[in-house]
Amino acid sequence: MPTITVESGPLPTAVRRNFAKTVSRWLRGQGVDLNHVISSFREVDPESMFSGPFPLATGGPFALVGCRIDPSRPERFRRGLCQQIVEALRPAVPPERVFVQFEHASPELHLTGAEVLQEARS
């Protein structure tokens, strides 16, 4: 279940929807179940984020993007996903202001309430 979290200043609803649609469609093309793609947005105060001693806000819009993916995904998958993320945030956030980080999370560590209830009934 790929999980993507975008932390940024305010982004228009249209940008967030386009992001979720673009990234989900790309992941579907990589064999990921569309219903298993989670995108979330956290609005942060740009003045509260720093790069060294400098507020990120001084450079304009930015996005810190965290992606949790299966550790077996190859480098080309990560690069392709990063490209989709950057494109989906354009022009609201310039490419040089998008910072993407990948964390590995094994699929067996993702459960849904329905799965747990179904197992309990069995």
Coordinates of all heavy atoms in Angstrom, one line a residue, residues 19-116:
F19 N -2.9 15.8 -8.1 CA -1.7 15.0 -7.6 C -2.2 13.6 -7.3 O -1.6 12.6 -7.8 CB -1.2 15.6 -6.3 CG -0.1 14.9 -5.6 CD1 1.2 15.2 -5.9 CD2 -0.4 13.9 -4.8 CE1 2.2 14.5 -5.4 CE2 0.7 13.1 -4.2 CZ 2.0 13.5 -4.5
A20 N -3.3 13.4 -6.5 CA -3.8 12.1 -6.2 C -4.1 11.3 -7.4 O -3.8 10.1 -7.5 CB -5.0 12.2 -5.3
K21 N -4.8 11.9 -8.4 CA -5.1 11.2 -9.6 C -3.9 10.8 -10.4 O -3.8 9.7 -10.9 CB -6.1 12.1 -10.5 CG -6.5 11.5 -11.7 CD -7.6 12.3 -12.4 CE -6.9 13.6 -13.0 NZ -7.9 14.4 -13.9
T22 N -3.0 11.7 -10.6 CA -1.8 11.5 -11.5 C -0.9 10.4 -10.9 O -0.5 9.4 -11.5 CB -1.0 12.8 -11.6 OG1 -1.8 13.8 -12.3 CG2 0.3 12.5 -12.4
V23 N -0.7 10.5 -9.6 CA 0.2 9.5 -8.9 C -0.5 8.2 -8.8 O 0.1 7.1 -9.1 CB 0.6 10.0 -7.5 CG1 1.3 9.0 -6.7 CG2 1.5 11.3 -7.7
S24 N -1.8 8.1 -8.5 CA -2.5 6.9 -8.5 C -2.5 6.1 -9.8 O -2.3 4.9 -9.9 CB -3.9 7.1 -8.0 OG -3.9 7.6 -6.7
R25 N -2.7 6.9 -10.9 CA -2.8 6.3 -12.2 C -1.4 5.7 -12.6 O -1.3 4.6 -13.2 CB -3.2 7.3 -13.3 CG -4.7 7.5 -13.2 CD -5.1 8.5 -14.3 NE -6.6 8.6 -14.3 CZ -7.2 9.6 -15.0 NH1 -6.5 10.4 -15.8 NH2 -8.5 9.6 -15.0
W26 N -0.3 6.4 -12.3 CA 1.0 6.0 -12.6 C 1.3 4.7 -11.8 O 1.8 3.7 -12.3 CB 2.1 7.0 -12.3 CG 3.4 6.5 -12.7 CD1 4.0 6.6 -13.9 CD2 4.4 5.9 -11.8 NE1 5.2 6.1 -13.9 CE2 5.5 5.6 -12.6 CE3 4.4 5.5 -10.5 CZ2 6.6 5.0 -12.1 CZ3 5.5 4.9 -10.0 CH2 6.6 4.6 -10.8
L27 N 0.9 4.7 -10.5 CA 1.1 3.5 -9.7 C 0.3 2.3 -10.2 O 0.8 1.2 -10.2 CB 0.8 3.8 -8.2 CG 1.9 4.6 -7.5 CD1 1.3 5.2 -6.2 CD2 3.1 3.8 -7.3
R28 N -0.9 2.6 -10.7 CA -1.7 1.5 -11.3 C -1.0 0.9 -12.5 O -1.0 -0.3 -12.7 CB -3.1 2.0 -11.7 CG -4.0 0.9 -12.3 CD -5.3 1.3 -12.6 NE -5.2 2.4 -13.7 CZ -6.2 3.1 -14.1 NH1 -7.4 3.0 -13.5 NH2 -6.0 4.0 -15.0
G29 N -0.4 1.7 -13.3 CA 0.4 1.2 -14.4 C 1.6 0.4 -14.0 O 2.2 -0.3 -14.8
Q30 N 2.0 0.5 -12.7 CA 3.1 -0.3 -12.2 C 2.6 -1.5 -11.5 O 3.4 -2.2 -10.8 CB 4.0 0.6 -11.2 CG 4.4 1.9 -11.8 CD 5.2 1.7 -13.1 OE1 6.2 1.0 -13.1 NE2 4.8 2.4 -14.1
G31 N 1.3 -1.8 -11.6 CA 0.8 -3.0 -11.0 C 0.2 -2.9 -9.6 O -0.1 -3.8 -8.9
V32 N 0.1 -1.6 -9.1 CA -0.4 -1.4 -7.8 C -1.9 -1.2 -7.8 O -2.4 -0.5 -8.7 CB 0.2 -0.1 -7.2 CG1 -0.4 0.2 -5.8 CG2 1.7 -0.2 -7.0
D33 N -2.6 -1.9 -6.9 CA -4.1 -1.7 -6.9 C -4.4 -0.3 -6.6 O -4.0 0.3 -5.6 CB -4.7 -2.7 -5.8 CG -6.2 -2.6 -5.7 OD1 -6.8 -1.7 -6.1 OD2 -6.7 -3.6 -5.1
L34 N -5.2 0.3 -7.4 CA -5.6 1.7 -7.3 C -6.2 2.1 -5.9 O -5.9 3.1 -5.4 CB -6.6 2.1 -8.4 CG -6.9 3.6 -8.6 CD1 -5.6 4.3 -9.0 CD2 -8.0 3.7 -9.7
N35 N -6.9 1.1 -5.3 CA -7.5 1.3 -4.0 C -6.6 1.3 -2.9 O -6.9 1.6 -1.8 CB -8.6 0.3 -3.8 CG -9.8 0.5 -4.8 OD1 -10.2 1.6 -5.0 ND2 -10.2 -0.6 -5.3
H36 N -5.3 0.9 -3.2 CA -4.3 0.8 -2.1 C -3.3 2.0 -2.1 O -2.3 2.0 -1.4 CB -3.5 -0.5 -2.3 CG -4.3 -1.7 -1.9 ND1 -3.8 -3.0 -2.0 CD2 -5.6 -1.8 -1.6 CE1 -4.7 -3.8 -1.6 NE2 -5.8 -3.2 -1.4
V37 N -3.6 3.0 -2.9 CA -2.8 4.2 -3.0 C -3.3 5.3 -2.1 O -4.5 5.7 -2.3 CB -2.6 4.7 -4.4 CG1 -1.7 5.9 -4.5 CG2 -2.1 3.6 -5.3
I38 N -2.6 5.7 -1.1 CA -3.0 6.7 -0.1 C -2.2 7.9 -0.3 O -0.9 7.9 -0.2 CB -2.9 6.2 1.3 CG1 -3.6 4.9 1.6 CG2 -3.3 7.3 2.3 CD1 -5.1 5.0 1.4
S39 N -2.8 9.0 -0.6 CA -2.2 10.3 -0.7 C -2.8 11.3 0.4 O -4.0 11.4 0.5 CB -2.4 11.0 -2.1 OG -1.8 10.2 -3.1
S40 N -1.9 11.9 1.2 CA -2.5 12.8 2.2 C -1.6 14.1 2.1 O -0.5 14.1 1.7 CB -2.4 12.2 3.6 OG -1.1 12.0 4.0
F41 N -2.3 15.2 2.5 CA -1.7 16.5 2.5 C -1.7 17.1 3.9 O -2.8 17.1 4.5 CB -2.4 17.4 1.5 CG -2.2 16.9 0.1 CD1 -3.1 16.0 -0.5 CD2 -1.2 17.4 -0.7 CE1 -2.9 15.5 -1.8 CE2 -1.1 17.0 -2.0 CZ -1.9 16.0 -2.6
R42 N -0.6 17.6 4.3 CA -0.5 18.3 5.6 C -0.1 19.7 5.3 O 1.0 19.9 4.8 CB 0.4 17.6 6.5 CG -0.1 16.2 6.9 CD 0.8 15.6 7.9 NE 0.3 14.2 8.1 CZ 1.1 13.2 8.3 NH1 2.4 13.4 8.4 NH2 0.6 12.0 8.5
E43 N -0.9 20.7 5.7 CA -0.6 22.1 5.5 C 0.3 22.5 6.7 O -0.1 22.3 7.9 CB -1.8 22.9 5.4 CG -1.6 24.3 5.0 CD -2.9 25.1 4.7 OE1 -3.7 24.6 4.0 OE2 -3.0 26.2 5.3
V44 N 1.4 23.0 6.4 CA 2.3 23.5 7.4 C 2.6 25.0 7.3 O 2.5 25.5 6.2 CB 3.7 22.8 7.4 CG1 3.5 21.3 7.7 CG2 4.4 23.0 6.1
D45 N 2.9 25.6 8.4 CA 3.2 27.0 8.3 C 4.6 27.2 7.7 O 5.6 26.7 8.3 CB 3.2 27.6 9.8 CG 3.7 29.0 9.8 OD1 3.9 29.7 8.8 OD2 3.9 29.5 11.0
P46 N 4.7 27.8 6.5 CA 6.0 27.9 5.9 C 7.1 28.5 6.7 O 8.3 28.2 6.6 CB 5.7 28.7 4.6 CG 4.3 28.6 4.4 CD 3.7 28.4 5.7
E47 N 6.7 29.3 7.7 CA 7.7 30.0 8.5 C 8.3 29.0 9.6 O 9.2 29.3 10.3 CB 7.1 31.2 9.2 CG 6.7 32.3 8.3 CD 8.0 33.0 7.6 OE1 9.0 33.0 8.2 OE2 7.8 33.4 6.4
S48 N 7.6 27.8 9.7 CA 8.1 26.9 10.8 C 9.0 25.8 10.2 O 9.5 25.0 10.9 CB 6.8 26.2 11.4 OG 6.3 25.3 10.5
M49 N 9.3 25.9 8.9 CA 10.2 24.9 8.3 C 11.5 25.6 7.8 O 11.4 26.7 7.2 CB 9.5 24.3 7.0 CG 8.1 23.7 7.3 SD 8.2 22.2 8.3 CE 8.7 21.0 7.1
F50 N 12.6 25.0 8.1 CA 13.9 25.6 7.9 C 14.8 24.7 7.1 O 14.7 23.5 7.2 CB 14.6 26.0 9.2 CG 13.9 27.1 9.9 CD1 12.8 26.8 10.7 CD2 14.4 28.4 9.8 CE1 12.2 27.8 11.4 CE2 13.8 29.4 10.5 CZ 12.7 29.1 11.3
S51 N 15.6 25.2 6.2 CA 16.7 24.6 5.6 C 18.0 25.2 6.2 O 18.3 26.3 5.8 CB 16.7 24.8 4.1 OG 17.8 24.2 3.4
G52 N 18.6 24.4 7.1 CA 19.7 25.1 7.9 C 19.1 26.2 8.7 O 18.0 26.0 9.3
P53 N 19.7 27.4 8.7 CA 19.1 28.5 9.4 C 18.1 29.3 8.7 O 17.5 30.3 9.2 CB 20.3 29.3 9.7 CG 21.2 29.1 8.5 CD 21.0 27.7 8.1
F54 N 17.8 28.9 7.4 CA 16.9 29.7 6.6 C 15.5 29.2 6.5 O 15.3 28.0 6.2 CB 17.5 29.8 5.2 CG 19.0 30.2 5.2 CD1 20.0 29.3 4.9 CD2 19.3 31.6 5.4 CE1 21.3 29.7 5.0 CE2 20.6 32.0 5.5 CZ 21.6 31.0 5.2
P55 N 14.5 30.0 6.7 CA 13.1 29.5 6.5 C 12.9 29.1 5.1 O 13.3 29.8 4.2 CB 12.3 30.8 6.9 CG 13.2 31.7 7.6 CD 14.6 31.4 7.1
L56 N 12.3 28.0 4.9 CA 11.9 27.5 3.5 C 11.0 28.5 2.8 O 11.1 28.6 1.6 CB 11.3 26.1 3.5 CG 12.2 25.0 3.7 CD1 11.4 23.7 3.9 CD2 13.2 24.8 2.6
A57 N 10.2 29.2 3.6 CA 9.3 30.2 3.0 C 10.0 31.3 2.2 O 9.4 31.8 1.2 CB 8.4 30.8 4.1
T58 N 11.2 31.6 2.5 CA 11.9 32.7 1.8 C 12.1 32.3 0.3 O 12.3 33.2 -0.5 CB 13.2 33.1 2.5 OG1 14.0 31.9 2.5 CG2 12.9 33.6 3.9
G59 N 12.2 31.0 0.0 CA 12.4 30.6 -1.4 C 11.2 30.4 -2.2 O 11.3 30.0 -3.4
G60 N 10.0 30.6 -1.6 CA 8.8 30.4 -2.4 C 8.1 29.1 -2.0 O 8.5 28.5 -1.0
P61 N 7.1 28.7 -2.7 CA 6.4 27.4 -2.4 C 7.4 26.2 -2.3 O 8.3 26.2 -3.1 CB 5.4 27.3 -3.5 CG 5.3 28.6 -4.2 CD 6.6 29.3 -3.9
F62 N 7.1 25.3 -1.5 CA 7.9 24.1 -1.4 C 7.0 22.9 -1.0 O 5.8 23.1 -0.5 CB 9.0 24.2 -0.3 CG 8.4 24.4 1.1 CD1 8.2 23.3 1.9 CD2 8.1 25.6 1.6 CE1 7.7 23.4 3.2 CE2 7.5 25.7 2.9 CZ 7.3 24.6 3.7
A63 N 7.5 21.7 -1.2 CA 6.8 20.5 -0.7 C 7.8 19.5 -0.3 O 8.8 19.2 -0.9 CB 6.0 19.9 -1.9
L64 N 7.6 19.0 1.0 CA 8.3 17.9 1.5 C 7.4 16.7 1.4 O 6.3 16.6 1.9 CB 8.6 18.1 3.0 CG 9.3 19.4 3.3 CD1 9.5 19.6 4.8 CD2 10.7 19.5 2.6
V65 N 7.9 15.7 0.6 CA 7.1 14.5 0.2 C 7.7 13.3 0.8 O 8.9 13.0 0.5 CB 6.9 14.4 -1.3 CG1 6.0 13.3 -1.7 CG2 6.4 15.7 -1.9
G66 N 7.0 12.6 1.6 CA 7.4 11.3 2.1 C 6.6 10.2 1.5 O 5.4 10.2 1.4
C67 N 7.4 9.1 1.0 CA 6.7 8.0 0.3 C 7.1 6.7 1.1 O 8.3 6.4 1.2 CB 7.2 7.9 -1.1 SG 7.0 9.3 -2.1
R68 N 6.1 6.0 1.5 CA 6.3 4.6 2.1 C 6.0 3.6 1.0 O 4.9 3.5 0.5 CB 5.5 4.4 3.3 CG 6.0 5.2 4.5 CD 5.2 4.9 5.7 NE 5.1 6.1 6.5 CZ 4.2 7.0 6.5 NH1 3.1 6.9 5.7 NH2 4.2 8.1 7.2
I69 N 7.0 2.8 0.6 CA 6.8 1.8 -0.4 C 7.5 0.5 0.0 O 8.3 0.4 0.9 CB 7.4 2.3 -1.8 CG1 8.9 2.6 -1.6 CG2 6.7 3.6 -2.3 CD1 9.7 2.8 -2.9
D70 N 7.1 -0.5 -0.8 CA 7.6 -1.9 -0.6 C 9.2 -1.8 -0.8 O 9.6 -1.3 -1.8 CB 7.0 -2.8 -1.6 CG 7.3 -4.3 -1.4 OD1 8.5 -4.6 -1.0 OD2 6.5 -5.1 -1.7
P71 N 10.0 -2.4 0.1 CA 11.4 -2.4 -0.1 C 11.9 -3.1 -1.3 O 13.0 -2.9 -1.8 CB 11.9 -3.0 1.2 CG 10.8 -3.7 1.9 CD 9.5 -3.1 1.3
S72 N 11.1 -3.9 -1.9 CA 11.5 -4.7 -3.1 C 11.4 -3.8 -4.4 O 11.9 -4.2 -5.4 CB 10.7 -5.9 -3.3 OG 9.4 -5.6 -3.6
R73 N 10.9 -2.6 -4.3 CA 10.7 -1.8 -5.5 C 12.1 -1.3 -5.9 O 12.9 -0.8 -5.1 CB 9.9 -0.5 -5.2 CG 8.4 -0.9 -4.9 CD 7.7 -1.4 -6.1 NE 6.3 -1.6 -5.8 CZ 5.5 -2.0 -6.7 NH1 5.8 -2.3 -7.9 NH2 4.2 -2.2 -6.4
P74 N 12.4 -1.4 -7.2 CA 13.7 -1.0 -7.8 C 13.9 0.5 -7.9 O 12.9 1.2 -7.8 CB 13.7 -1.7 -9.2 CG 12.3 -1.8 -9.6 CD 11.5 -2.0 -8.3
E75 N 15.1 0.9 -8.1 CA 15.5 2.3 -8.3 C 14.7 3.0 -9.3 O 14.2 4.1 -9.1 CB 17.0 2.4 -8.6 CG 17.5 3.7 -8.9 CD 17.6 4.7 -7.7 OE1 17.5 4.2 -6.6 OE2 17.7 5.9 -8.0
R76 N 14.4 2.3 -10.5 CA 13.7 2.9 -11.5 C 12.2 3.2 -11.1 O 11.6 4.2 -11.5 CB 13.7 2.1 -12.8 CG 13.0 0.8 -12.8 CD 13.0 0.1 -14.1 NE 12.6 -1.3 -14.0 CZ 11.3 -1.7 -13.7 NH1 10.4 -0.8 -13.5 NH2 11.0 -2.9 -13.6
F77 N 11.7 2.4 -10.2 CA 10.3 2.7 -9.6 C 10.4 3.9 -8.8 O 9.5 4.8 -9.0 CB 9.9 1.5 -8.8 CG 8.5 1.7 -8.1 CD1 7.4 1.3 -8.8 CD2 8.4 2.3 -6.9 CE1 6.1 1.5 -8.2 CE2 7.2 2.5 -6.3 CZ 6.1 2.1 -6.9
R78 N 11.4 4.1 -7.9 CA 11.5 5.3 -7.1 C 11.7 6.5 -7.9 O 11.1 7.5 -7.7 CB 12.6 5.1 -6.1 CG 12.3 4.1 -5.0 CD 13.4 4.1 -3.9 NE 14.7 3.9 -4.3 CZ 15.3 2.7 -4.5 NH1 14.6 1.6 -4.3 NH2 16.5 2.6 -4.9
R79 N 12.5 6.4 -8.9 CA 12.8 7.6 -9.8 C 11.5 7.9 -10.6 O 11.2 9.1 -10.8 CB 14.0 7.3 -10.7 CG 15.3 7.4 -10.0 CD 16.5 7.5 -10.9 NE 17.7 7.7 -10.2 CZ 18.0 8.9 -9.7 NH1 17.3 10.0 -9.9 NH2 19.2 9.0 -9.0
G80 N 10.8 6.9 -11.1 CA 9.6 7.2 -11.8 C 8.5 7.8 -11.0 O 7.8 8.7 -11.4
L81 N 8.4 7.3 -9.7 CA 7.4 7.9 -8.8 C 7.8 9.3 -8.5 O 6.9 10.2 -8.5 CB 7.3 7.0 -7.6 CG 6.3 7.5 -6.5 CD1 4.9 7.7 -7.0 CD2 6.3 6.5 -5.3
C82 N 9.0 9.6 -8.2 CA 9.5 10.9 -8.0 C 9.2 11.9 -9.1 O 8.7 13.0 -8.9 CB 11.0 10.9 -7.7 SG 11.6 12.5 -7.2
Q83 N 9.4 11.4 -10.3 CA 9.1 12.2 -11.5 C 7.6 12.6 -11.5 O 7.2 13.7 -11.8 CB 9.5 11.5 -12.8 CG 9.2 12.3 -14.0 CD 9.6 11.5 -15.3 OE1 10.2 10.5 -15.2 NE2 9.2 12.1 -16.4
Q84 N 6.7 11.6 -11.3 CA 5.3 11.8 -11.3 C 4.9 12.8 -10.2 O 4.1 13.7 -10.4 CB 4.5 10.5 -11.1 CG 4.7 9.5 -12.2 CD 4.2 10.1 -13.5 OE1 3.1 10.6 -13.6 NE2 5.1 10.0 -14.5
I85 N 5.5 12.7 -9.0 CA 5.2 13.6 -7.9 C 5.6 15.0 -8.3 O 4.8 16.0 -8.1 CB 6.0 13.2 -6.7 CG1 5.3 11.9 -6.1 CG2 6.1 14.3 -5.6 CD1 6.2 11.2 -5.0
V86 N 6.8 15.2 -8.9 CA 7.2 16.6 -9.3 C 6.3 17.1 -10.3 O 5.9 18.3 -10.2 CB 8.7 16.5 -9.8 CG1 9.1 17.8 -10.4 CG2 9.6 16.2 -8.6
E87 N 5.9 16.3 -11.3 CA 5.1 16.8 -12.4 C 3.7 17.2 -11.9 O 3.1 18.1 -12.3 CB 5.0 15.8 -13.5 CG 6.2 15.6 -14.3 CD 6.6 16.9 -15.1 OE1 5.8 17.7 -15.5 OE2 7.9 17.0 -15.3
A88 N 3.2 16.3 -10.9 CA 1.8 16.6 -10.4 C 1.7 17.8 -9.6 O 0.7 18.4 -9.4 CB 1.4 15.3 -9.6
L89 N 2.8 18.3 -9.0 CA 2.8 19.5 -8.2 C 3.1 20.7 -9.0 O 2.9 21.8 -8.4 CB 3.9 19.3 -7.0 CG 3.5 18.3 -5.9 CD1 4.7 18.1 -5.0 CD2 2.3 18.8 -5.2
R90 N 3.5 20.6 -10.2 CA 3.7 21.7 -11.1 C 2.4 22.4 -11.5 O 1.5 21.7 -11.7 CB 4.5 21.3 -12.3 CG 5.9 21.2 -12.2 CD 6.5 20.8 -13.6 NE 7.6 21.5 -13.9 CZ 8.5 21.2 -14.8 NH1 8.3 20.1 -15.5 NH2 9.6 21.9 -15.0
P91 N 2.3 23.6 -11.7 CA 3.3 24.7 -11.5 C 3.2 25.3 -10.0 O 3.9 26.2 -9.7 CB 2.9 25.7 -12.5 CG 1.4 25.6 -12.6 CD 1.2 24.2 -12.4
A92 N 2.3 24.7 -9.2 CA 2.1 25.3 -7.8 C 3.5 25.2 -7.0 O 3.7 26.2 -6.3 CB 1.1 24.5 -7.1
V93 N 4.2 24.2 -7.3 CA 5.5 24.1 -6.6 C 6.6 23.8 -7.6 O 6.5 22.8 -8.3 CB 5.5 22.9 -5.5 CG1 6.9 22.9 -4.8 CG2 4.4 23.1 -4.5
P94 N 7.6 24.7 -7.7 CA 8.7 24.5 -8.7 C 9.4 23.2 -8.4 O 9.6 22.8 -7.3 CB 9.6 25.7 -8.6 CG 8.9 26.7 -7.7 CD 7.8 25.9 -7.0
P95 N 9.9 22.5 -9.4 CA 10.6 21.2 -9.2 C 11.8 21.3 -8.3 O 12.0 20.4 -7.5 CB 11.1 20.8 -10.6 CG 10.1 21.5 -11.6 CD 9.7 22.8 -10.9
E96 N 12.5 22.4 -8.3 CA 13.6 22.5 -7.4 C 13.2 22.7 -5.9 O 14.1 22.7 -5.0 CB 14.6 23.7 -7.9 CG 14.0 25.0 -7.8 CD 13.2 25.4 -9.0 OE1 12.9 24.6 -9.9 OE2 12.8 26.6 -9.1
R97 N 11.9 22.9 -5.7 CA 11.4 23.1 -4.3 C 10.6 21.9 -3.8 O 9.9 21.9 -2.9 CB 10.6 24.3 -4.3 CG 11.3 25.6 -4.7 CD 12.2 26.2 -3.7 NE 11.4 26.7 -2.6 CZ 11.9 26.9 -1.4 NH1 13.2 26.7 -1.2 NH2 11.2 27.4 -0.5
V98 N 10.7 20.7 -4.6 CA 10.1 19.5 -4.2 C 11.2 18.6 -3.7 O 12.1 18.2 -4.4 CB 9.3 18.8 -5.4 CG1 8.7 17.5 -4.9 CG2 8.3 19.8 -5.9
F99 N 11.0 18.1 -2.4 CA 12.0 17.3 -1.8 C 11.3 15.9 -1.4 O 10.4 15.9 -0.7 CB 12.5 17.9 -0.5 CG 13.1 19.3 -0.8 CD1 12.2 20.4 -0.5 CD2 14.3 19.5 -1.2 CE1 12.7 21.7 -0.8 CE2 14.8 20.8 -1.5 CZ 14.0 21.9 -1.2
V100 N 11.8 14.9 -2.1 CA 11.1 13.5 -1.9 C 12.0 12.6 -1.1 O 13.2 12.5 -1.4 CB 10.8 12.9 -3.3 CG1 10.1 11.6 -3.2 CG2 9.9 13.9 -4.1
Q101 N 11.4 11.9 -0.2 CA 12.1 11.0 0.7 C 11.3 9.7 0.6 O 10.1 9.6 0.7 CB 12.2 11.4 2.1 CG 12.8 10.4 3.0 CD 12.9 10.9 4.5 OE1 12.6 12.0 4.8 NE2 13.2 10.0 5.4
F102 N 12.1 8.5 0.5 CA 11.4 7.2 0.5 C 11.8 6.5 1.8 O 12.9 6.5 2.3 CB 11.9 6.4 -0.7 CG 11.4 6.9 -2.0 CD1 12.2 7.8 -2.8 CD2 10.2 6.5 -2.5 CE1 11.7 8.3 -4.0 CE2 9.7 7.0 -3.7 CZ 10.4 7.9 -4.4
E103 N 10.7 5.8 2.3 CA 10.9 4.9 3.4 C 10.3 3.6 3.0 O 9.3 3.5 2.3 CB 10.0 5.5 4.6 CG 10.5 6.8 5.2 CD 9.6 7.3 6.3 OE1 9.1 6.4 7.0 OE2 9.4 8.5 6.4
H104 N 11.0 2.5 3.5 CA 10.5 1.2 3.2 C 9.5 0.7 4.2 O 9.7 0.9 5.4 CB 11.7 0.2 3.1 CG 12.5 0.5 1.9 ND1 13.8 0.2 1.9 CD2 12.2 1.0 0.7 CE1 14.4 0.5 0.7 NE2 13.4 1.1 0.0
A105 N 8.4 0.1 3.7 CA 7.4 -0.5 4.6 C 6.9 -1.7 3.9 O 6.4 -1.6 2.8 CB 6.2 0.5 4.8
S106 N 7.1 -2.8 4.5 CA 6.6 -4.1 4.0 C 5.1 -4.1 3.9 O 4.4 -3.7 4.8 CB 7.1 -5.3 4.8 OG 8.5 -5.3 4.8
P107 N 4.6 -4.7 2.8 CA 3.1 -4.7 2.6 C 2.4 -5.5 3.7 O 1.3 -5.1 4.0 CB 3.0 -5.5 1.2 CG 4.3 -5.2 0.5 CD 5.3 -5.1 1.6
E108 N 3.1 -6.5 4.3 CA 2.4 -7.2 5.3 C 2.2 -6.4 6.6 O 1.5 -6.8 7.5 CB 3.1 -8.5 5.7 CG 4.5 -8.4 6.1 CD 5.6 -8.4 5.0 OE1 5.2 -8.4 3.8 OE2 6.8 -8.4 5.3
L109 N 2.8 -5.2 6.7 CA 2.6 -4.3 7.8 C 1.4 -3.4 7.7 O 1.1 -2.6 8.5 CB 3.9 -3.5 8.0 CG 5.2 -4.3 8.4 CD1 6.3 -3.3 8.5 CD2 5.0 -5.1 9.7
H110 N 0.8 -3.5 6.5 CA -0.4 -2.7 6.2 C -1.7 -3.6 6.4 O -1.8 -4.6 5.7 CB -0.4 -2.1 4.8 CG 0.6 -1.0 4.7 ND1 0.4 0.3 4.8 CD2 2.0 -1.1 4.4 CE1 1.5 1.0 4.6 NE2 2.4 0.2 4.3
L111 N -2.6 -3.2 7.2 CA -3.8 -3.9 7.4 C -5.0 -2.9 7.3 O -4.8 -1.8 7.6 CB -3.8 -4.6 8.8 CG -2.7 -5.6 9.2 CD1 -2.8 -5.9 10.6 CD2 -2.8 -6.8 8.3
T112 N -6.1 -3.5 7.0 CA -7.3 -2.7 7.0 C -8.3 -3.3 8.1 O -8.1 -4.5 8.4 CB -8.1 -2.7 5.6 OG1 -8.6 -4.0 5.4 CG2 -7.2 -2.2 4.5
G113 N -9.2 -2.5 8.6 CA -10.1 -3.0 9.5 C -10.9 -4.1 9.0 O -11.2 -5.1 9.7
A114 N -11.3 -4.1 7.7 CA -12.1 -5.2 7.1 C -11.3 -6.5 7.2 O -11.9 -7.5 7.4 CB -12.5 -4.8 5.7
E115 N -10.0 -6.4 6.8 CA -9.2 -7.6 6.9 C -9.2 -8.3 8.2 O -9.3 -9.5 8.4 CB -7.8 -7.3 6.4 CG -7.6 -7.0 5.0 CD -6.2 -6.4 4.6 OE1 -5.6 -5.9 5.5 OE2 -5.9 -6.6 3.5
V116 N -9.0 -7.4 9.2 CA -8.9 -7.9 10.6 C -10.2 -8.5 11.1 O -10.2 -9.6 11.7 CB -8.4 -6.8 11.6 CG1 -8.4 -7.2 13.0 CG2 -7.0 -6.3 11.2

